[in-house]
Amino acid sequence: TLTAFYRRVHPAGPGWAAVAANAGAAAPRESLGMQFFNWILGCVLIYTTLFGIGKLIFKEWPAGAACIVVAVIAGALISRNLSQTDWEESPVAE
């Protein structure tokens, strides 16, 4: 069951090396650290967008603009990181 799961999902992380070898597949090249960094950037993106819109609604222009700028930067970093990821499509067994 675990080998079948691995063949379908190809999860990243150091704990999957033995299962990857058992499945006859190469270990994923994705970095768990980069995925965690993208998750942090996603949280920054969401919260700065929320607070930025709130500040703009209450006419706190400098704080609102700063939050929106941070949100745009976080979104650009996520986009850049995801575009550099080597995505490979795995066949889905039905």
Side-chain angles (χ1 to χ4, degrees):
T1 302
L2 189 59
T3 303
F5 170 79
Y6 184 84
R7 286 184 181 140
R8 290 187 79 181
V9 178
H10 295 286
W16 291 99
V19 179
N22 188 30
R29 293 179 297 270
E30 301 159 358
S31 166
L32 207 56
M34 184 57 71
Q35 291 176 7
F36 182 72
F37 182 61
N38 283 336
W39 174 72
I40 295 292
L41 285 174
C43 292
V44 169
L45 173 67
I46 299 260
Y47 279 106
T48 54
T49 300
L50 285 171
F51 288 119
I53 291 171
K55 295 291 185 183
L56 293 176
I57 288 172
F58 289 111
K59 297 182 181 179
E60 297 178 24
W61 307 116
C67 286
I68 297 299
V69 166
V70 171
V72 168
I73 291 170
L77 287 173
I78 292 170
S79 177
R80 184 196 61 153
N81 291 342
L82 291 178
S83 69
Q84 292 177 351
T85 300
D86 184 23
W87 300 101
E88 65 180 49
E89 189 172 329
S90 61
V92 177
E94 294 181 17

